Amino acid sequence: MSRPPGRKQENHKISRDLFVLTYGALVAQLCKDYERDEDVNSCLDRMGYSIGIRLIDDFLAHSDVKKCRSYSETADVIAQVAFKMYLGVTPSVSCCSAAGNEFSLILDKNPLVDFVEELPAERASLCYCNLLCGVIRGALEMVQLAAEVTFLQDRLRGDAVTEIGITFLRKAEDRKHKRK
């Protein structure tokens, strides 16, 4: 038996929609469990970090990406390969510092908020998609790149765009063992 030609894309779309709906239920439950938005944001970041440190293996196995030689190349791979691969979107990348270690990912469309109209007024400081920051941070750490990842702008908060800021803190030193 053969599969219809469009079947794989359809399954991917269903999986992404299921993920987005499940994610919304997760955030709603966290909002019930925690009174403070900062606690929800922190929990989402920790969850994302745990996902990121595991997701990097899948990414490296399926993306055919070579070792990045610069921070800008790393930011481009995150935007053009990782986001496309897992969320089906390609954010634009802009460099935000003369040192070349700060970048912004600007998302025209954020699939995690497809079914969210707006945040409730009492949840004004909630960073609904903070899971993404944790995922990026965890994945980068697993390839020896320490980074600070934060939401700079969010359409759910009324900003014009959704923008994720990535600041590479330092490149971890390669550990070379000396033979004695």
Side-chain angles (χ1 to χ4, degrees):
M1 253 165 125
S2 65
R3 273 190 184 160
R7 186 73 175 186
K8 186 176 181 183
Q9 178 66 20
E10 183 180 308
N11 285 342
H12 179 70
K13 174 90 169 110
I14 291 169
S15 297
R16 188 174 71 205
D17 288 348
L18 179 62
F19 171 70
V20 170
L21 288 170
T22 304
Y23 182 73
L26 169 73
V27 174
Q29 185 61 49
L30 289 173
C31 287
K32 288 179 185 175
D33 293 347
Y34 297 101
E35 290 179 20
R36 296 174 355 123
D37 290 344
E38 293 77 19
D39 295 334
V40 175
N41 294 343
S42 177
C43 187
L44 288 170
D45 182 71
R46 282 192 316 271
M47 293 169 101
Y49 179 81
S50 294
I51 292 168
I53 61 176
R54 289 165 181 80
L55 191 65
I56 191 67
D57 288 332
D58 179 72
F59 174 76
L60 292 173
H62 292 99
S63 67
D64 197 31
V65 171
K66 305 294 183 222
K67 183 177 181 177
C68 296
R69 302 199 186 284
S70 67
Y71 291 138
S72 63
E73 191 176 331
T74 302
D76 286 339
V77 166
I78 292 169
Q80 296 172 6
V81 181
F83 267 79
K84 182 71 172 174
M85 188 175 192
Y86 294 107
L87 294 176
V89 297
T90 305
S92 59
V93 179
S94 65
C95 184
C96 300
S97 72
N101 69 327
E102 293 181 31
F103 296 87
S104 285
L105 302 176
I106 300 168
L107 292 107
D108 293 326
K109 183 170 175 14
N110 182 352
L112 288 183
V113 299
D114 280 351
F115 302 109
V116 180
E117 292 180 21
E118 62 182 32
L119 294 176
E122 65 274 7
R123 292 291 184 173
S125 60
L126 176 67
C127 190
Y128 182 84
C129 297
N130 212 38
L131 183 96
L132 293 176
C133 294
V135 169
I136 295 168
R137 190 171 51 85
L140 286 171
E141 188 172 297
M142 293 307 291
V143 293
Q144 312 305 312
L145 291 170
E148 181 180 299
V149 185
T150 56
F151 265 89
L152 302 176
Q153 296 185 71
D154 193 347
R155 283 192 175 158
L156 287 179
R157 291 186 186 171
D159 295 321
V161 296
T162 299
E163 180 179 5
I164 300 173
I166 301 174
T167 303
F168 293 100
L169 303 175
R170 68 190 178 314
K171 197 169 189 176
E173 294 85 30
D174 293 335
R175 295 181 181 159
K176 295 183 180 177
H177 300 287
K178 294 180 182 178
R179 293 184 185 181
K180 294 183 180 179

